[in-house]
Structures are given as C-alpha cells and as structure tokens.
Amino acid sequence: MVHLSDKLQKLDHKDKKFYLIVNSVVYVLLILEEWSYDQHYIKVSKFEGDKAPFSHISESFELLQQDVQDSLESSISSKVNSLLSGYYKSTWTLPNKLDTITPVCSRGLMELQQCLASLSSSLAPDTFLLIWSNLASSFQLNFTNKILLKSQFNLAGAQQFKSDMQAFCGIFYEYCSPSYFTKLKSSLEVLTLPCETARLWKGEGSSSLDNLVDLSEEQSISLPPAEILRILKLRADI
C-alpha cells in the first residue's frame, strides 16, 4: 500500500497511469465490499478476530482513495482560485451590466470547466461525483462569503454578478439538476430585484421580518426573511 501511495504521489494528475491506479483502487474497494457479505469470509474474519471481513485492507484503500480525492480537489481549487483572485476583489457599483460574464471570472470558470470535463472522462463515476459536488459547494461558498455578503451592489452590479453566477452554475448542470443551487439562485433573485421593489421589501422587512414571508413566497424565493433583509441591505442604490 505504501508503494502504491508513493507511486501516485510521483505521477502527474495529467498522466493516464494516475487515473488507472485510482480507478483500480475504487474497483478493489467494490470487490472487497461485495466479498464482505460472503458467509465464508465472515466466518474466517470471526475466527481471526477481525471486526469485519477485509476491514484492515479496506481501511487502507479507503484512506488512499480519500488522499487522492483531497489532492485532486486541492489542485483544482488552487488553480481556479488563483485565476479568480482578482474577481474576489471586484467592485459591484457599475455604470451598466456587460453583455458577457466578467472577463476575470470567465478565465477561472473556463479552467474549472476543463478540469471537470477531464475528471469526468478519467475517473470512476462515484469518485467523480464526490469531487464535483465538493468543488461545487466550495466555490459556491467562496462566491457567497467573499463577494455576495461582503460587497455593495447597485442594480447593474447585481445583474452582472447574477450573470456570472449563472455561468458558474451552468458548468455543473451536466452533472446535477439546477435545484442543487437553489439557495444561491434565490439569493441572486433578491439581490437583483428592481429598485422600487427592493426598496419596498427592505422597508417591509425593517418593520417586521414576517412581512417578507408572503412577499418571498409570491416570488418563489426559498430564503428565511432575515437572510432576505440582509441581502437587500447590500444594495447601495435603495
């Protein structure tokens, strides 16, 4: 197992041999799980005092699989976040919305899309599922904490950010349904409310959060009233 781990560490993530070994590890784990239900191996493990058939070797393979998964996620996150570093520092009071997504965001999303496409064709489906879902959650959290909840927006800036985030979510629609990003999409709907509507909602919510319940339900926005009011307060133009 140590030799296998050393071998993986020496291989580049672009090397086909890397993914052959990773997928072999996944296959071995599946076989060991299947064998663990076999009565013969159950009797043997009880005789030898093991807690379950192949438990020790399975744990070793699972640790190796987790190390590989963490390594891939870290590598992709590092590359993409490096390209997005300028985007995280953007200002969002804009004279007008662009016809395309923000250029500095586009570069980061393009890298993310290419990485996911490569992993999708190289990894076993279950392993890829874990990686893309973790990356989706991680970048969604970054966009929310580093931009959405820390910036001041006017309507044009809010619309631009929404357009960028729609491009981000769209990358993952090949692997999941749009409902995966329900909270982010609801936040963007609140952020991009027309000025008069946003002003009304902000006033109603400041009087009583309960006033926002009916208003948000009419717009099919699935956010707690307190979060809606918090987002509305990010609008510098109301």
Side-chain angles (χ1 to χ4, degrees):
M1 188 61 66
V2 173
H3 172 73
L4 194 57
S5 179
D6 289 342
K7 181 74 172 176
L8 281 170
Q9 288 179 6
K10 292 176 182 177
L11 289 173
D12 189 274
H13 288 172
K14 295 180 181 179
D15 194 323
K16 289 184 179 180
K17 292 180 182 178
F18 177 87
Y19 296 101
L20 288 173
I21 295 174
V22 172
N23 290 334
S24 296
V25 169
V26 174
Y27 179 71
V28 169
L29 281 169
L30 291 172
I31 295 299
L32 291 176
E33 182 181 8
E34 184 178 330
W35 285 357
S36 70
Y37 296 105
D38 188 289
Q39 288 302 313
H40 169 72
Y41 294 119
I42 291 174
K43 290 177 182 178
V44 170
S45 66
K46 286 181 178 179
F47 177 77
E48 295 179 348
D50 290 336
K51 54 187 176 182
F54 311 107
S55 59
H56 296 303
I57 190 170
S58 291
E59 287 172 1
S60 296
F61 274 103
E62 285 170 358
L63 286 172
L64 179 58
Q65 182 188 26
Q66 187 63 53
D67 285 345
V68 170
Q69 181 183 322
D70 291 344
S71 174
L72 286 169
E73 290 175 15
S74 176
S75 175
I76 293 172
S77 293
S78 178
K79 286 189 289 186
V80 175
N81 277 321
S82 177
L83 292 170
L84 290 173
S85 60
Y87 184 67
Y88 292 139
K89 300 173 184 176
S90 299
T91 57
W92 297 98
T93 49
L94 306 177
N96 54 270
K97 178 185 174 299
L98 301 176
D99 292 331
T100 60
I101 65 174
T102 307
V104 67
C105 178
S106 178
R107 291 191 289 273
L109 296 187
M110 188 176 297
E111 176 67 27
L112 177 60
Q113 186 174 35
Q114 291 172 348
C115 289
L116 289 173
S118 177
L119 291 185
S120 176
S121 63
S122 303
L123 286 174
D126 286 350
T127 306
F128 178 62
L129 169 63
L130 292 171
I131 290 176
W132 76 248
S133 58
N134 285 342
L135 288 172
S137 297
S138 174
F139 282 109
Q140 188 173 189
L141 194 63
N142 279 349
F143 289 131
T144 299
N145 291 342
K146 293 183 178 183
I147 298 178
L148 177 59
L149 298 179
K150 290 187 69 175
S151 304
Q152 287 288 304
F153 299 82
N154 63 3
L155 183 56
Q159 291 172 336
Q160 184 63 51
F161 182 60
K162 179 180 179 180
S163 178
D164 295 343
M165 291 303 95
Q166 286 173 330
F168 160 69
C169 295
I171 290 174
F172 292 91
Y173 288 164
E174 184 176 348
Y175 318 114
C176 68
S177 73
S179 62
Y180 193 86
F181 297 98
T182 295
K183 184 175 181 180
L184 176 59
K185 290 166 67 177
S186 288
S187 298
L188 295 170
E189 290 303 315
V190 173
L191 188 67
T192 55
L193 285 171
C195 291
E196 288 188 13
T197 306
R199 196 174 292 114
L200 170 65
W201 282 36
K202 183 179 178 181
E204 291 290 333
S206 298
S207 299
S208 172
L209 289 176
D210 291 339
N211 294 336
L212 289 174
V213 175
D214 291 338
L215 291 171
S216 61
E217 287 179 351
E218 289 175 7
Q219 299 289 331
S220 300
I221 291 172
S222 54
L223 288 176
E227 286 191 39
I228 293 175
L229 184 59
R230 182 182 182 185
I231 293 171
L232 289 170
K233 288 181 178 179
L234 300 171
R235 285 285 295 276
D237 55 353
I238 60 171

